[in-house]
Amino acid sequence: MTVRPLRKAVFPVGGLGTRFLPATKAMPKEMLPVVDRPLIQYAVDEALEAGIEQMIFVTGRGKSAIEDHFDIAYELEATMTARGKSLSILDATRLKPGAVAYVRQQEPMGLGHAVWCARDIVGDEPFAVLLADDFMVGKPGCLKQMVDAYMQVGGNIICAQEVPEDQTHMYGVITPGVRDGALTEVKGLVEKPAKGTAPSNLSVIGRYILQPEVMRVLETQGKGAGGEIQLTDAMARMIGNQPFHGLTFDGKRYDCGDKAGYVTANLAVAVGRADIGEAVRAFAVDLLK
């Protein structure tokens, strides 16, 4: 079995972020910071750790801050240099020339449509998809764990996580086959099943490694749950034609598309920081007395 290397990653960042209004009226939700780094920066760092060479951002109106974040900021850098401040803190925001591409999703038609918008840049290569508001904390990172598994089994791999039974209607859910450690054979997928009808409690989380054939499936994919073109539906049509596995991530996931999850992520990261952890932990203990 020949496994083609994974070089490209798609970041669907065109969503409106309505759950965080009014904060996201003028600022992309992907730029919301966890302590002092925006969510999209964590996702890009995760992709770089996994060996990704080209970042493809699927943007929408009002998302220029993301492009600015990964660009050179001449005035800022000149001012910092003049004041004797190190520019090393900005290193992660500087992507190599040619290592980043932007494509516009002109209307919000769902995750499947957003991924399809990147088809010409992806070309005939396997690629990753990362959703920045699924904030994944682990060593190695989530995508690196998935790439390691991909190099063994090939095909398509999705990140999987067990969720409480009463929450399965909020996710894409896996119909599981044979399990081998952290890997589970995917026999079927259903997007947001009605309560009580889910085939398992193994949900699909916002990390994917997909073969380019999914783009041809998305070409004719009709609207699904929520009246949107769902990536889960397109993946389900590929099962049986290509290897499909779910990898249970060894780490912690924070749903930063949810306000409580976002606040929790900030607290968790803050208490683990050497520079501010002690002060934040002391405050939290005092607050919760």
Side-chain angles (χ1 to χ4, degrees):
M1 178 186 66
T2 302
V3 179
R4 290 188 289 174
L6 195 71
R7 302 189 311 112
K8 299 181 179 182
V10 175
F11 299 83
V13 294
L16 298 175
T18 54
R19 283 189 284 179
F20 278 86
L21 287 170
T24 50
K25 180 181 179 182
M27 179 176 69
K29 66 175 181 177
E30 296 82 10
M31 289 299 295
L32 290 171
V34 174
V35 184
D36 54 4
R37 298 166 77 84
L39 286 166
I40 191 63
Q41 181 71 65
Y42 286 102
V44 166
D45 291 347
E46 182 185 325
L48 289 170
E49 179 198 16
I52 298 298
E53 299 172 12
Q54 185 177 33
M55 315 294 166
I56 305 166
F57 296 94
V58 183
T59 69
R61 283 178 291 278
K63 300 287 184 168
S64 60
I66 295 174
E67 298 185 34
D68 291 342
H69 179 74
F70 291 107
D71 203 350
I72 294 173
Y74 291 103
E75 183 178 358
L76 172 64
E77 295 179 19
T79 301
M80 291 177 66
T81 300
R83 294 176 179 176
K85 295 185 177 181
S86 171
L87 298 181
S88 61
I89 196 170
L90 298 177
D91 287 349
T93 70
R94 294 172 170 177
L95 296 177
K96 295 179 181 178
V100 59
Y102 298 93
V103 61
R104 189 86 162 226
Q105 183 186 23
Q106 294 179 314
E107 52 183 320
M109 293 176 59
L111 177 58
H113 180 260
V115 171
W116 182 72
C117 286
R119 64 196 180 282
D120 289 339
I121 305 174
V122 167
D124 190 31
E125 293 188 43
F127 63 101
V129 178
L130 296 92
L131 307 186
D133 52 7
D134 269 328
F135 179 50
M136 314 295 273
V137 179
K139 290 185 178 182
C142 182
L143 190 61
K144 178 64 167 67
Q145 293 181 31
M146 293 175 67
V147 168
D148 289 346
Y150 166 73
M151 295 308 295
Q152 296 177 26
V153 299
N156 304 270
I157 298 184
I158 51 183
C159 182
Q161 182 184 50
E162 291 186 353
V163 299
E165 298 283 356
D166 60 357
Q167 294 182 17
T168 53
H169 66 285
M170 301 163 58
Y171 297 90
V173 179
I174 293 170
T175 301
V178 177
R179 298 198 182 198
D180 180 12
L183 275 176
T184 301
E185 182 186 11
V186 177
K187 305 289 282 186
L189 288 166
V190 58
E191 179 66 23
K192 296 179 181 176
K195 289 185 178 182
T197 67
S200 74
N201 69 334
L202 205 58
S203 66
V204 179
I205 304 303
R207 299 290 186 275
Y208 313 79
I209 293 175
L210 301 172
Q211 296 301 312
E213 286 79 9
V214 74
M215 294 298 193
R216 291 189 278 278
V217 177
L218 286 166
E219 186 91 36
T220 58
Q221 182 65 45
K223 294 181 179 179
E228 297 181 334
I229 297 174
Q230 297 288 352
L231 181 60
T232 301
D233 294 340
M235 292 189 299
R237 290 169 60 187
M238 295 173 64
I239 295 170
N241 299 318
Q242 295 183 340
F244 233 107
H245 294 86
L247 178 80
T248 303
F249 169 54
D250 181 15
K252 180 71 175 176
R253 174 224 179 202
Y254 298 92
D255 180 4
C256 287
D258 170 79
K259 292 175 185 176
Y262 174 69
V263 173
T264 302
N266 270 275
L267 182 60
V269 171
V271 298
R273 289 268 296 253
D275 54 346
I276 61 174
E278 185 177 347
V280 173
R281 192 177 299 107
F283 169 76
V285 170
D286 185 61
L287 182 67
L288 296 173
K289 281 182 180 176

